[in-house]
Amino acid sequence: MSRKLSPKMINWLEENVPGRPWKETFRMFKQEFPGFEWNLDAMKRTCYKHGIRNGINAQFKKGNEAWNKGMKGLRFPGSEKGWFKKGQKSLNEKPLGSEYKCDGYTMVKVKTTGTRYERWKLKHVLIWEKYNGPVPKNSVVTFLDGNRDNFDINNLACIRKGVNSVLNTKKLRSQNKEIFEARVAQIELDQKIKKITKNLGSD
């Protein structure tokens, strides 16, 4: 069993951690890499080390004391007017189409039920899928000019995760669209040549 993270694993974390609860990401990671041994805390430490954040900061910190500790059943005069009634929606519940930023990416609310990951989707992915259909398996949608706020469909590209991993690990991303496209094409070519050479060597 391996305990050393590969570039592919780090890239997977970069693509899947933002916008998801840690427990859900850990479960998905174990499904994606069943032979890798670590726990949830180790995954968090690794992500923090690589600057990877999920953008969710609602967890109650261990050791902190709740403001209402020991106040169960306590009522203040006139507070009945503000009590939450059964079936009533929370006033701060965001409507469909709402947006928020998560680690530089824009998230859009697409559903009112389900997990956080099911309710919120990456805006640039939604726009790409509007024109091209579902993102293929083992692929990601990226910004050609590196600007995460440029949602022009001509600035979005769907590339294989393997190519995306090379771009990240070798720091080959560029804010120049033409340079970025050329590097993606070069990586695709290099990987294709490597695959053909490997197959010829096994004959």
Side-chain angles (χ1 to χ4, degrees):
M1 297 295 183
S2 173
R3 291 192 180 186
K4 184 178 180 181
L5 257 70
S6 64
K8 180 179 179 181
M9 291 176 179
I10 295 175
N11 179 67
W12 188 97
L13 291 170
E14 291 175 338
E15 297 296 335
N16 291 279
V17 167
R20 285 194 178 95
W22 288 112
K23 288 184 178 179
E24 182 179 349
T25 305
F26 182 69
R27 175 179 55 78
M28 292 172 59
F29 184 93
K30 296 296 288 184
Q31 292 176 346
E32 185 76 14
F33 306 102
F36 191 78
E37 288 187 348
W38 66 349
N39 54 37
L40 179 58
D41 289 337
M43 185 186 77
K44 289 182 181 180
R45 289 194 298 271
T46 299
C47 287
Y48 292 149
K49 180 180 178 182
H50 288 84
I52 303 171
R53 302 287 189 273
N54 67 359
I56 303 173
N57 192 29
Q59 183 180 4
F60 189 78
K61 305 287 190 306
K62 185 178 180 180
N64 287 359
E65 200 170 86
W67 70 270
N68 59 348
K69 182 179 180 181
M71 297 171 64
K72 184 177 181 181
L74 184 64
R75 300 181 182 181
F76 298 97
S79 64
E80 294 87 353
K81 294 180 181 179
W83 288 357
F84 193 81
K85 299 177 178 60
K86 185 177 181 180
Q88 177 183 350
K89 288 188 176 181
S90 171
L91 292 176
N92 62 359
E93 180 178 325
K94 295 184 181 297
L96 291 174
S98 297
E99 299 181 1
Y100 82 96
K101 286 282 190 177
C102 175
D103 290 341
Y105 292 97
T106 300
M107 308 295 294
V108 180
K109 189 170 186 179
V110 296
K111 293 178 63 178
T112 57
T113 59
T115 65
R116 185 184 185 91
Y117 175 63
E118 292 170 334
R119 288 182 285 120
W120 294 87
K121 298 291 184 181
L122 290 162
K123 183 174 181 176
H124 66 287
V125 173
L126 290 173
I127 292 174
W128 190 90
E129 290 184 332
K130 178 182 178 181
Y131 289 87
N132 302 283
V135 175
K137 186 179 180 181
N138 296 324
S139 298
V140 296
V141 178
T142 190
F143 299 91
L144 291 174
D145 65 356
N147 182 359
R148 296 177 181 177
D149 291 321
N150 184 358
F151 300 106
D152 188 317
I153 186 60
N154 295 314
N155 187 49
L156 303 178
C158 184
I159 61 177
R160 292 188 303 104
K161 288 184 178 180
V163 173
N164 193 58
S165 178
V166 174
L167 288 170
N168 289 335
T169 55
K170 294 189 177 182
K171 302 185 186 305
L172 294 176
R173 291 189 175 279
S174 172
Q175 293 182 346
N176 183 289
K177 180 180 176 180
E178 287 72 23
I179 293 177
F180 183 89
E181 290 177 325
R183 287 176 176 172
V184 168
Q186 183 63 56
I187 294 170
E188 287 279 11
L189 179 60
D190 290 343
Q191 292 186 346
K192 187 173 183 179
I193 292 175
K194 185 177 180 180
K195 183 178 180 180
I196 293 174
T197 303
K198 183 179 179 180
N199 290 337
L200 289 175
S202 61
D203 292 340

